[in-house]
Amino acid sequence: MKAGAYPNNPLSGRPLFSDPVFQLHPGKGARLARVGRQNLIRAVPREPGWLHPWTVTPLFEPKDAAALKPGEADSEWRAYIEPGFVNGREAFIKMPPAWPPGRKQAPGEEPRDVALTDEQPPYLVIDGFRNPLSAGGIVEKENGDFVVAAGEGYPKFFETLGVKRPARGGDLLDATSFDSPQDDQRTRQIRACDIVLTHPRMGSHVDFQQVQVPLTQPAELIGSPVFDSSFALATGGRSRLRATAHFQTSPVDSLDALFLTLTGTQTPQFDELKIATIWFISPPEALDDAIPDGTWEAYVQHSVFWNLNHATKVAPPTEAADPVHFFLPLAGGAGQLAIDLSLFVVNELISELTSLLNAADTNGYFWSI
Amino acid sequence: MAMRSFGGHRLFKGNGVRLRRFAGGYVVNFDHEVSGFEGAWATDLLGDGLARIAPGTINRFAAKIGKALLTDTPPPLLNFGKAKLASDGRGWICAEVTCDPARQWQIIDLQIVQVADPDHDEDESRNAATSVNSIGGARPLANHRARAPLAMLRKRDGGGIDVFQIAYFDLQHSVALYPDHTPQRHFFW
């Protein structure tokens, strides 16, 4: 049967979903949400009951007809998010100036932040998907060989729904390394996207200045931490939500983060946290390059269930700290050998540098309350 | 599970589901009661500037409204009168801790209050640097106090006020100090 085709009632010959014998009607406590044309009828309580903060509800909805451009799809996937709070303040979603439909926008008006607690709640448009079945690219092994990385994969739950296997990866010269293994029982496609929370905070970097000294004396490097809250002030400290095909970040304590601070590059003035992943499952026998539409079904995998607090690792001192002085070895002068061999000197330098970096480390952490 | 079969499709009844057949098809009924969740600090607005807050603790210190514990029978109500709201129509119900610096900043009082800004007192002047908390935690207030937001109030265009729950569980509290032992930030978790 072609994907997306209506099955027929063999008794009447009519498509099942238009056959009155097959009609499903919502009764007490039920609301039928028909998604797609397969067996995707969901009955949910009329009153949804309590939903935890950050609950994501994906829906395939029609766009504003007046704003449609020629050739544009008339519907899109949207993610509605139950209000969630960071440090007691709700998160926002950036919405276009023409939203909600019928709103008069001022000339040149920019997209604006809309709170999750607004009476007409905003939503995220999901227009970027990643394919967990695809091979993960070409990577180099420790021995220098190049291999094809396996597909990202997906939660085991989706195997029971008949989702195709991810690319197995392997030898670069083997064409099958890029393909999903064939399985007639598993013909459904899967796509994913991530919902990410961005929270602004103070940023920092270390300012190094080299003092010019005569050649006969040690060169001196002066380092002092510099703190910057310009982004937090510009955004009013608002947390924002966004949808992205694949969310990736370096851990707060990673070498990358410390390197940014050390080299004087401004650390980013925000922290990010993945709220949820939305998995989209196609009807059977969907094409490999299919894009999720109304015939697909969405499943949400939440990563966060409660409201959050956030804080930076350090706070700027009330008074400017004394800058740290680093004395570099004499330029070809006497005592160079002794200095090089002095482990005490090296350890001192490392200790001072570590303290300086830690004093300027404004990377932040989230925790739930 | 009972099953209906028609036209090659099958319907399976789960727990609490009833299927009733009629000429036009099937009616799906749910028997489940809608269940909610009420944890600590659950806030209900009762109108006329009154709110009921479910009992909660911070560092196992029980919260009060005035001198009455939230666990008293009958429980006290927070009478905030005309809601204190910021210019954007938002206000908060907070748990306000008062600490004693001489006793390792232990909590000596815990009051439920309604405020326009958890990080500033009403009479406190603000500038661009203090209007946004860019380092997180709770900002220290005068007299060794700090506030943990429990619920947010949002005034609607029609004049009504909606409440959004923020905290659901008992909390822990700690204070970070500057080298001169003045409070830097309060943490609630």
Side-chain angles (χ1 to χ4, degrees):
Chain A
M1 182 175 65
K2 214 188 292 184
Y6 275 123
N8 288 342
N9 184 339
L11 299 178
S12 67
R14 282 179 288 183
L16 271 172
F17 280 83
S18 65
D19 189 326
V21 175
F22 189 72
Q23 291 283 330
L24 289 179
H25 303 268
K28 175 195 163 213
R31 177 168 59 87
L32 300 184
R34 184 172 296 173
V35 180
R37 297 176 175 182
Q38 304 294 325
N39 56 333
L40 301 175
I41 296 173
R42 272 200 302 266
V44 296
R46 275 193 199 283
E47 297 297 328
W50 183 79
L51 298 174
H52 66 76
W54 313 109
T55 298
V56 177
T57 303
L59 295 172
F60 193 72
E61 292 187 325
K63 298 179 188 176
D64 179 18
L68 273 180
K69 294 172 189 162
E72 198 179 0
D74 59 3
S75 300
E76 61 189 0
W77 277 104
R78 296 171 178 170
Y80 290 85
I81 299 158
E82 198 65 17
F85 292 76
V86 182
N87 291 347
R89 279 129 178 111
E90 76 270 55
F92 289 71
I93 292 176
K94 213 173 250 308
M95 298 300 288
W99 185 88
R103 178 180 184 267
K104 286 183 186 171
Q105 58 181 103
E109 186 179 351
E110 297 286 326
R112 69 190 201 289
D113 287 334
V114 179
L116 295 182
T117 55
D118 269 18
E119 280 185 282
Q120 182 153 10
Y123 52 80
L124 290 169
V125 173
I126 304 172
D127 53 8
F129 307 90
R130 68 179 185 273
N131 186 345
L133 302 177
S134 297
I138 299 172
V139 296
E140 185 180 3
K141 290 170 66 175
E142 283 181 6
N143 61 3
D145 289 345
F146 288 94
V147 296
V148 179
E152 174 195 347
Y154 43 80
K156 207 168 173 55
F157 163 78
F158 296 114
E159 292 178 7
T160 61
L161 298 184
V163 174
K164 294 181 76 167
R165 298 175 196 275
R168 60 184 181 83
D171 188 356
L172 185 59
L173 300 177
D174 183 355
T176 62
S177 298
F178 293 90
D179 299 332
S180 298
Q182 198 65 25
D183 185 339
D184 292 338
Q185 301 299 314
R186 294 168 66 171
T187 61
R188 290 184 161 188
Q189 291 287 328
I190 185 170
R191 303 288 183 266
C193 87
D194 295 327
I195 307 296
V196 179
L197 172 74
T198 301
H199 183 75
R201 56 151 171 89
M202 178 169 287
S204 63
H205 67 275
V206 175
D207 208 18
F208 284 103
Q209 291 178 1
Q210 183 166 355
V211 176
Q212 298 295 328
V213 293
L215 284 175
T216 54
Q217 294 193 2
E220 189 177 347
L221 208 60
I222 302 174
S224 49
V226 178
F227 300 94
D228 184 1
S229 291
S230 53
F231 181 62
L233 291 173
T235 57
R238 292 196 192 109
S239 302
R240 286 200 187 116
L241 290 162
R242 62 186 175 90
T244 182
H246 197 184
F247 173 65
Q248 290 173 305
T249 185
S250 299
V252 166
D253 291 328
S254 70
L255 206 56
D256 291 343
L258 289 175
F259 183 71
L260 285 176
T261 310
L262 175 62
T263 57
T265 309
Q266 175 83 301
T267 56
Q269 293 188 43
F270 55 85
D271 288 309
E272 294 187 308
L273 184 71
K274 187 172 76 170
I275 295 295
T277 297
I278 309 177
W279 302 92
F280 297 88
I281 310 298
S282 76
E285 298 173 17
L287 299 176
D288 287 345
D289 59 353
I291 296 173
D293 59 18
T295 64
W296 293 49
E297 188 168 8
Y299 295 82
V300 182
Q301 180 183 22
H302 290 96
S303 304
V304 179
F305 299 87
W306 302 106
N307 289 315
L308 301 165
N309 277 351
H310 171 274
T312 55
K313 280 174 82 173
V314 298
T318 48
E319 293 173 359
D322 290 332
V324 180
H325 296 252
F326 299 97
F327 291 96
L328 303 180
L330 288 168
Q336 174 71 55
L337 186 60
I339 291 170
D340 285 347
L341 292 177
S342 171
L343 194 58
F344 172 77
V345 172
V346 172
N347 285 341
E348 276 281 301
L349 279 174
I350 291 173
S351 174
E352 286 184 33
L353 186 58
T354 303
S355 294
L356 180 62
L357 291 177
N358 285 337
D361 187 359
T362 55
N363 286 298
Y365 293 96
F366 292 96
W367 67 93
S368 57
I369 56 168
Chain B
M1 275 186 298
M3 184 186 77
R4 297 275 188 269
S5 177
F6 39 85
H9 271 248
R10 292 179 292 179
L11 275 184
F12 290 91
K13 274 193 319 179
N15 285 335
V17 178
R18 287 181 290 115
L19 296 176
R20 185 167 57 84
R21 183 175 181 171
F22 72 113
Y26 284 89
V27 176
V28 180
N29 290 307
F30 262 88
D31 286 337
H32 282 301
E33 290 293 330
V34 172
S35 62
F37 173 77
E38 182 172 301
W41 315 113
T43 301
D44 293 308
L45 293 183
L46 305 178
D48 296 328
L50 286 174
R52 179 175 53 219
I53 294 99
T57 63
I58 299 182
N59 286 1
R60 300 195 182 192
F61 196 102
K64 292 185 273 190
I65 296 175
K67 293 182 181 175
L69 290 169
L70 295 182
T71 51
D72 282 352
T73 305
L77 298 178
L78 181 66
N79 186 350
F80 54 84
K82 185 163 184 268
K84 300 179 194 66
L85 303 174
S87 55
D88 59 4
R90 289 172 173 79
W92 279 266
I93 304 279
C94 294
E96 183 177 280
V97 298
T98 303
C99 304
D100 185 352
R103 288 160 60 183
Q104 290 84 47
W105 291 85
Q106 284 183 28
I107 296 172
I108 56 175
D109 194 18
L110 176 54
Q111 291 286 331
I112 305 298
V113 297
Q114 195 278 307
V115 297
D117 184 347
D119 282 338
H120 292 85
D121 283 320
E122 260 189 303
D123 55 355
E124 201 176 343
S125 61
R126 298 165 211 202
N127 54 41
T130 62
S131 61
V132 171
N133 183 347
S134 61
I135 59 173
R139 188 169 166 271
L141 301 172
N143 301 320
H144 316 305
R145 292 174 298 128
R147 297 183 186 131
L150 303 177
M152 189 183 85
L153 308 179
R154 182 98 194 258
K155 187 169 182 182
R156 299 304 190 190
D157 292 340
I161 293 182
D162 284 343
V163 61
F164 294 89
Q165 193 69 31
I166 296 173
Y168 294 90
F169 302 100
D170 292 330
L171 297 169
Q172 301 290 308
H173 164 263
S174 179
V175 184
L177 302 175
Y178 285 116
D180 63 357
H181 302 286
T182 55
Q184 180 198 91
R185 291 179 284 184
H186 291 251
F187 294 106
F188 295 94
W189 69 95

